[in-house]
Amino acid sequence: MAAKPPQDEIEAEEASAAPPLDVGRLGDLLGFHLRMAHVAIYRDFADTMEELGLTQKQLAVMELVAGNPGASQIDLANTLGTDRATMMALVNRLAARDFIERHPSAADRRRQELHLTKAGRAMLARARKLINTHEQRFIDLFSADEMDGLLAALKRIYKGG
Amino acid sequence: MAAKPPQDEIEAEEASAAPPLDVGRLGDLLGFHLRMAHVAIYRDFADTMEELGLTQKQLAVMELVAGNPGASQIDLANTLGTDRATMMALVNRLAARDFIERHPSAADRRRQELHLTKAGRAMLARARKLINTHEQRFIDLFSADEMDGLLAALKRIYKGG
DNA sequence: TATTGTTATACTCTATAACTATA
DNA sequence: TATAGTTATAGAGTATAACAATA
């Protein structure tokens, strides 16, 4: 329902209801195009995952816990670039839905080791299938070389050259 | 304060305080890298504009109004991909700071034509200077050809093929 | 002292729904 | 009917500050 780009540009289709404004200087800003692209994918993700009720960030947390059993909230926060309080709220939502469990660490009793529950693993499996079709929509826009270049560029931005 | 990536990967630097987790399957997702890159630029933007108190979206609205005097909230919402209520809140904040004025349209009295105030134009001029230095940090990461390719790829994502 | 989890607080963003005025 | 603005509401994300327990 969200992205819904005009796949074929029908010339006969006169001025749509949405008059596109002149983006002016915005068009020169990397941040602007990055934000627009992010929003497009974010919405397609949200639409795709609507039936599961999982956001991009919630899925990221579940994938990280799945791949790093026993990770702490601080570990997740550092990896995803948020702070402790934000991650707390995120994990709380997932714990409330019984997807993630907290277990006190024996080695360091300040830490809570995070693990997926059985329900969490089942949800993740369902999510991965939906994600594949979601990703494919965007993969199809590019050749393999183009996609490699795009991913490399994005990594350079957030890993810092 | 935000992005702060390790510019040089010093081998002697032993395990930092932030243990990076295995991103696992996330690393294969375009949406994940796009989100991380967006967050990095978003934070650098926020840090850069802290003294002015302008967000990416607020600046986008001001640039659009500057380039399209008399545009309505609906026009802005359609261009930036949000809905009326979200744009209403955005414009309210800018109007409360006396950067934007609403004037009823003579042609269609349902519409409010938006214009920058004198203070808004002054703020935009200050913002543009700060944005240039912010953008330059990321432009420097790429060659001209690389940047062209990156922008083209991002546009393809949100304009849809 | 520093770190981890936690709680409280607040602001922003986002979206939906419903209402008013106008077309 | 449809559109533009508006208001109310709610959930999610984000960040800061403070505290307790532990290192």
Side-chain angles (χ1 to χ4, degrees):
Chain A
M1 178 185 281
K4 199 187 291 179
Q7 288 293 356
D8 43 347
E9 303 185 0
I10 306 167
E11 55 173 335
E13 187 165 345
E14 58 269 281
S16 72
L21 299 182
D22 176 8
V23 297
R25 299 199 183 205
L26 290 179
D28 298 327
L29 301 180
L30 171 61
F32 173 71
H33 297 292
L34 195 50
R35 181 178 163 269
M36 295 293 282
H38 174 247
V39 167
I41 291 196
Y42 177 86
R43 295 213 172 141
D44 190 83
F45 185 99
D47 291 341
T48 303
M49 304 296 269
E50 191 173 25
E51 58 184 283
L52 299 186
L54 278 185
T55 66
Q56 266 188 332
K57 252 160 276 190
Q58 289 170 347
L59 172 92
V61 166
M62 290 182 68
E63 282 285 6
L64 285 179
V65 172
N68 306 270
S72 70
Q73 293 177 179
I74 279 282
D75 295 335
L76 299 178
N78 288 338
T79 303
L80 295 180
T82 70
D83 64 310
R84 285 175 297 164
T86 301
M87 187 53 63
M88 184 76 197
L90 243 169
V91 172
N92 277 347
R93 274 173 228 125
L94 292 170
R97 293 172 71 187
D98 190 33
F99 295 153
I100 285 185
E101 284 175 338
R102 294 179 169 107
H103 301 293
S105 164
D108 182 343
R109 280 156 43 205
R110 290 174 303 183
R111 296 168 72 93
Q112 297 270 15
E113 298 180 348
L114 302 177
H115 296 271
L116 289 189
T117 63
K118 185 176 177 182
R121 285 189 293 275
M123 174 59 78
L124 184 54
R126 292 179 63 192
R128 281 174 174 169
K129 289 181 188 173
L130 292 181
I131 287 167
N132 285 342
T133 69
H134 154 74
E135 277 283 313
Q136 198 60 46
R137 278 186 216 119
F138 296 98
I139 291 173
D140 288 346
L141 295 175
F142 301 99
S143 72
D145 279 354
E146 286 173 333
M147 182 57 78
D148 286 347
L150 175 56
L151 291 179
L154 294 176
K155 288 178 193 170
R156 205 183 299 175
I157 288 172
Y158 73 82
K159 290 182 178 173
Chain B
M1 179 186 280
K4 199 186 294 180
Q7 288 292 358
D8 43 347
E9 302 184 1
I10 306 165
E11 55 175 332
E13 187 165 344
E14 59 269 278
S16 72
L21 299 182
D22 176 9
V23 296
R25 299 198 182 205
L26 290 178
D28 298 327
L29 301 181
L30 171 60
F32 174 73
H33 297 291
L34 196 50
R35 182 178 161 270
M36 296 294 283
H38 174 247
V39 167
I41 291 196
Y42 178 87
R43 294 212 173 145
D44 189 83
F45 184 98
D47 292 340
T48 302
M49 304 295 269
E50 192 173 23
E51 58 183 284
L52 299 187
L54 278 185
T55 67
Q56 267 188 331
K57 253 161 276 192
Q58 288 171 346
L59 172 92
V61 167
M62 290 182 68
E63 282 285 6
L64 285 179
V65 173
N68 306 271
S72 69
Q73 293 177 182
I74 279 281
D75 295 336
L76 298 178
N78 288 337
T79 303
L80 295 179
T82 69
D83 63 309
R84 286 176 296 166
T86 301
M87 186 54 63
M88 183 77 197
L90 241 170
V91 172
N92 278 348
R93 274 173 231 126
L94 292 171
R97 293 172 70 186
D98 191 32
F99 295 155
I100 285 185
E101 283 175 338
R102 293 178 169 107
H103 301 293
S105 165
D108 182 342
R109 277 156 47 204
R110 290 174 305 182
R111 296 169 72 94
Q112 297 270 15
E113 298 181 346
L114 302 177
H115 297 272
L116 289 188
T117 63
K118 184 176 177 182
R121 286 189 293 274
M123 174 58 79
L124 183 55
R126 291 178 64 192
R128 281 173 174 170
K129 289 182 187 172
L130 292 181
I131 287 166
N132 285 342
T133 70
H134 154 74
E135 277 282 314
Q136 197 60 45
R137 277 185 216 120
F138 296 98
I139 291 173
D140 287 345
L141 295 175
F142 302 100
S143 71
D145 279 354
E146 286 173 333
M147 182 57 78
D148 286 347
L150 175 56
L151 291 180
L154 294 175
K155 288 178 194 170
R156 204 182 301 174
I157 288 171
Y158 72 83
K159 289 181 178 174

